[in-house]
Amino acid sequence: MIKVTIRGAKVTERSGQPERVLWIKAHSAEGQALLSAIPEGEMFTVVQRRAKRINLDWSKRIRPRMGGQVSPYSLRHQFAANLKAAGFDKIQIAKALGHLSVKSQQRYGSSGQGQGGCVGLLQADATREVRIGADADTVDDYDPLEP
């Protein structure tokens, strides 16, 4: 397994996860891509990027390898669609996307848009509990000083 820790970018009292952890199958396509980014002889690597820098990296380094006009935005939507097609529950999808409510994922891809249901994700963990049902619009345990 590969552990990927992601700090939340759009975290407020009512939205977002301060931090989430994605557990990826090492032998999956996603896992192999991640392993190739770790320097030889090392056990981990740290990548810190702000949104503007991610888009710059994407347009100059990653998009040319993929061909076409794929964006980080469209990949995020495809990731959600693939998770839905693979049968992940709404709470796991919300955690993987960094959402605080299951309602947020309604805007992201449908299971019918998923690609074969093969996903490298094993599990997603998040700092805060995902809101569901009637509680999906309320937050009782938020501390802005938490990581």
Side-chain angles (χ1 to χ4, degrees), residues 36-82:
S36 73
I38 299 173
E40 190 172 328
E42 299 292 329
M43 295 297 293
F44 66 92
T45 191
V46 176
V47 178
Q48 294 180 315
R49 295 282 194 260
R50 296 193 182 274
K52 187 174 184 179
R53 180 64 208 200
I54 289 171
N55 283 323
L56 182 61
D57 286 349
W58 184 267
S59 62
K60 291 190 174 191
R61 296 170 51 190
I62 300 169
R63 184 181 285 157
R65 290 187 200 170
M66 297 179 73
Q69 295 298 311
V70 178
S71 69
Y73 174 85
S74 62
L75 280 180
R76 182 174 169 82
H77 282 260
Q78 188 62 56
F79 177 59
N82 290 351

Side-chain angles (χ1 to χ4, degrees), residues 92-127:
Q92 282 291 299
I93 295 170
K95 288 178 180 180
L97 294 173
H99 294 162
L100 188 56
S101 168
V102 295
K103 285 185 172 184
S104 302
Q105 67 190 263
Q106 294 171 356
R107 300 181 194 109
Y108 289 80
S110 69
S111 61
Q113 296 168 320
Q115 297 174 334
C118 183
V119 178
L121 183 70
L122 289 168
Q123 179 176 322
D125 298 316
T127 307

